[in-house]
Amino acid sequence: MLSLVPNDSKRYSLSETIHAEVSRFLYQAFTADSGLLSNVDRWTQRRVTMENLTKIELAHASDDPVEYCYQNLIREIDAEAQTGIFLVGKDTADTSLGILANEPGVSGKLRNEVAYIAPVLFADALAHSNDQLDLVWVTIRARFERARVDAEVSRIAMGILMQDADVANDMADALRSLMYPFHEYAARHQCDLPPLLDEHQARELTIMVSQLEKRAGDYENRIHEITARADTQ
């Protein structure tokens, strides 16, 4: 366990603060010109909002809200990294993706291999794409943006619960420094591209990610619980 909120009155106050900050973040994600989800329809906006607010309610009701949020964060950054690896680059406008290009095991150039990788990892989108792989890139961006929004909500909640946003930021960064190299290694291995990590490095990374996945628990059950309560199934 990471931390416990000490009493019900304090927990209620923190819950109100989290709800307000998450609502503000989601509003900006939907409405700002550069917002992560500025191009989605109203139905999707409602779904994202309901599921994330429900996630916060469930964290609030859990025995250890911080641990609950951290478990979510593990899986959400895991999901983010699966497509984020194709968006990493030192020239990107996203600061965090630019920083990740300096991580060992992250090339920052996997975007250049999407045409080669797409038949293996994005076959359905490729089948309906044009020569510019338009739907493949739409799929990559959409999956990344939804996972990033979910992860940011969990990070915001953790920072408020621990009353230390810097620690929550560091925890999210640490997870990305593991998940992005792990998924680039997996993509390269699956598509027969040259690895950036040697066998020892890859084995150690796989063990660390496996330990995190074990800590996160059965995320399919968690998603079912959230969507059922939010009535978005």
Side-chain angles (χ1 to χ4, degrees), residues 15-36:
S15 178
E16 287 185 316
T17 302
I18 292 168
H19 191 285
E21 288 299 316
V22 167
S23 297
R24 185 178 297 111
F25 165 75
L26 291 175
Y27 178 78
Q28 292 174 345
F30 297 141
T31 61
D33 291 340
S34 58
L36 282 166

Side-chain angles (χ1 to χ4, degrees), residues 110-131:
L110 206 58
R111 66 181 71 176
N112 299 330
E113 305 291 346
V114 168
Y116 180 78
I117 289 172
V120 179
L121 299 185
F122 305 104
D124 290 343
L126 178 64
H128 299 91
S129 291
N130 60 21
D131 292 343

